[in-house]
Amino acid sequence: MSWFKKLFSLPLYIQILIGMIAGVLIGVVAIQVDGVLFVQNWIRPWGQIFIRLLQLIAIPLVFISLIKGVTGLKDISKFSRIGGKTISIYLVTTCVAVLLGLFLGLIIQPGKLVNPDRVKHIQENYLSVVDEKKQASIEGQKNGPLNFLNEIVPNNLVSAAADNSKMLQVIFFAVFFGIAALTVSHSKIAPVLSFFDGLNDIILRMVDYIVMFAPWGVAALMAGLVADTGGDMSIFGALGVYALVVIAGMFILLLGFYPLLIRLFTKVSVRKFIRSMYPVQLFAFTTSSSAATLPVTMEVVEKDLKVSQEVASFVLPVGVTINMDGTSCYQSISILFIAQVLGIDLSLGQMAVIVLMTILSSIGTPGIPGGSYVVLTMVLTSVGIPAEGLALILGIDRPLDMLRTAVNVTGDAAVAAIVDKK
Ligand code: ASP
């Protein structure tokens, strides 16, 4: 069994990669031998358990690491400096991502290249899902323009912590708590701080245990995903150009924009950054959730990119919901695509609204699979595009969600390195 031992001494990202490939192979074989049901019943649940464990740890991790992060800054002026810097850089990167998406969508015009017969067929398949998202978006809009503040400020900590999509509310409480703690004399709160210190170490150890399970979990997830397609790839043909435009946008961010930022604004070498990001990206890719990836992002950013714990434990948990460059870029491409398919010409004013809304709404997008649908529906309706258009892109969304999540977490890590630059 020495090969087995050797396998587990390989770097984590290689183990995950092997898991991914094994999962895809299992899925493909299952389709060939009529074993899809077997995969769904006996293999996929292990992947789901893996995701559940990551989601389980996400809220305590965000909560505790943020309290530790804010109190670790020692005084309010340092908090405002780092906080201000973090939010400003997050906004700038999001803005670049949205503009990139608009640029690609306008230049390539993927919506003009779709076969109209296929469009009708695709749309019919997803109308019920769209109705659900539309309802959620109408509920949100009913409460007026300041509703987003309601989404940020919780009225009950326990109910906020009970829902992974309310991460922003947990962040609000943790930052508020941390700020208050900074203003109380250190001698009085020293026991509280050492309590959170100990708690943080325990949570990180739990993370280590979950991550050990990653290659298996990833294999099970991929097998389930491939089995679900049942071998029918026709949707990729119909929406191929749209998918390629999204993929191009993601790769421009990954291989052009972030390396440039790292080169210009940090002392980390671009090679080191790209290499260190592999496990984080693979994790994000398979889980489709920035929140579930947070433990790995934190570990890699601190250990490999050598970002101080003080900065990482503030910048990264905040970034999980606030900063989504991949999602923002994808949203602007998708909006243009839907408008183009439906034959709606967007004015310059409408495009400005798209940019603004996408940037603002990316703040509230939860870092969970498909977290951006409700927000996308909202942006669509705000520029007068029927929300039903969402049905066009849902069928092909999972792989694109995987990719944009990988971009989202890379963006968070890049910003952490920039904020940390001494
Ligand atoms: N899945 C994405 C994330 O977790 C959010 C989205 O784009 O739907 O970052």
Side-chain angles (χ1 to χ4, degrees):
M1 289 305 250
S2 75
W3 65 271
F4 199 70
K5 255 197 189 149
K6 252 194 213 142
L7 198 65
F8 284 93
S9 55
L10 290 171
L12 179 67
Y13 78 91
I14 301 209
Q15 290 183 37
I16 297 180
L17 206 61
I18 294 173
M20 271 172 92
I21 297 170
V24 172
L25 289 179
I26 295 172
V28 171
V29 171
I31 292 170
Q32 302 300 329
V33 301
D34 242 356
V36 169
L37 208 64
F38 176 82
V39 169
Q40 285 169 343
N41 286 341
W42 293 98
I43 297 183
R44 192 172 44 190
W46 297 103
Q48 285 163 336
I49 290 172
F50 170 60
I51 296 272
R52 290 174 75 90
L53 285 171
L54 285 165
Q55 288 171 335
L56 170 74
I57 214 74
I59 294 263
L61 183 68
V62 165
F63 186 70
I64 293 162
S65 63
L66 261 182
I67 289 180
K68 230 180 101 62
V70 177
T71 51
L73 296 177
K74 303 281 190 296
D75 62 74
I76 288 282
S77 69
K78 198 164 178 196
F79 167 76
S80 351
R81 196 162 45 78
I82 292 200
K85 203 168 159 188
T86 305
I87 304 288
S88 327
I89 305 176
Y90 275 157
L91 284 179
V92 172
T93 56
T94 307
C95 195
V96 170
V98 174
L99 293 177
L100 172 69
L102 279 186
F103 174 77
L104 291 174
L106 286 173
I107 295 284
I108 305 173
Q109 306 219 335
K112 300 260 162 84
L113 303 168
V114 187
N115 175 348
D117 294 336
R118 285 285 307 182
V119 166
K120 255 190 107 175
H121 181 67
I122 295 171
Q123 237 177 338
E124 277 159 9
N125 280 342
Y126 291 93
L127 277 182
S128 63
V129 186
V130 172
D131 266 354
E132 209 180 283
K133 304 293 169 200
K134 211 164 99 185
Q135 208 46 45
S137 132
I138 292 170
E139 290 293 318
Q141 284 169 336
K142 233 178 13 206
N143 299 331
L146 289 186
N147 179 53
F148 73 95
L149 288 176
N150 279 338
E151 301 289 329
I152 297 176
V153 185
N155 62 356
N156 183 307
L157 177 62
V158 178
S159 76
D163 182 349
N164 275 19
S165 69
K166 297 223 168 100
M167 192 84 96
L168 207 54
Q169 301 192 350
V170 175
I171 291 180
F172 178 88
F173 183 88
V175 172
F176 194 11
F177 183 98
I179 292 175
L182 283 180
T183 62
V184 178
S185 93
H186 184 77
S187 58
K188 268 199 174 152
I189 57 164
V192 179
L193 296 186
S194 65
F195 169 74
F196 276 111
D197 240 11
L199 218 51
N200 195 45
D201 286 350
I202 297 174
I203 295 285
L204 291 181
R205 181 57 53 84
M206 289 171 78
V207 168
D208 283 344
Y209 291 146
I210 300 172
V211 168
M212 272 161 56
F213 182 51
W216 303 97
V218 163
L221 281 173
M222 291 309 283
L225 223 55
V226 173
D228 277 349
T229 67
D232 179 10
M233 298 285 172
S234 60
I235 194 145
F236 288 90
L239 300 178
V241 180
Y242 156 74
L244 285 179
V245 176
V246 175
I247 293 170
M250 299 303 128
F251 276 98
I252 292 174
L253 290 171
L254 282 178
L255 301 176
F257 183 51
Y258 297 132
L260 187 71
L261 288 182
I262 290 293
R263 199 192 173 106
L264 292 180
F265 301 111
T266 75
K267 290 187 189 136
V268 180
S269 89
V270 171
R271 252 185 105 167
K272 169 106 187 134
F273 177 76
I274 294 181
R275 286 184 133 244
S276 310
M277 280 296 107
Y278 290 153
V280 183
Q281 289 163 342
L282 285 175
F283 230 82
F285 186 78
T286 31
T287 57
S288 271
S289 165
S290 317
T293 312
L294 179 65
V296 187
T297 321
M298 288 186 72
E299 198 168 311
V300 167
V301 164
E302 282 176 30
K303 284 203 183 128
D304 297 342
L305 301 185
K306 305 277 183 273
V307 170
S308 66
Q309 199 200 24
E310 183 181 64
V311 168
S313 56
F314 174 72
V315 177
L316 296 174
V318 170
V320 161
T321 55
I322 288 188
N323 185 48
M324 294 204 172
D325 301 339
T327 299
S328 310
C329 178
Y330 141 88
Q331 285 202 346
S332 43
I333 295 173
S334 303
I335 293 167
L336 285 186
F337 172 76
I338 294 169
Q340 286 159 2
V341 172
L342 301 179
I344 300 170
D345 279 326
L346 294 170
S347 66
L348 225 62
Q350 280 170 310
M351 294 217 201
V353 174
I354 293 175
V355 174
L356 208 73
M357 288 278 294
T358 310
I359 294 173
L360 288 181
S361 56
S362 78
I363 294 176
T365 305
I368 54 175
S372 51
Y373 297 156
V374 174
V375 171
L376 185 59
T377 320
M378 225 156 70
V379 183
L380 281 174
T381 38
S382 69
V383 284
I385 303 173
E388 282 70 15
L390 185 66
L392 288 170
I393 54 171
L394 282 182
I396 202 176
D397 199 58
R398 182 64 198 225
L400 300 182
D401 190 3
M402 294 160 84
L403 203 57
R404 65 183 184 253
T405 310
V407 176
N408 290 344
V409 293
T410 311
D412 296 345
V415 174
I418 297 172
V419 173
D420 190 57
K421 191 192 163 203
K422 312 290 178 323

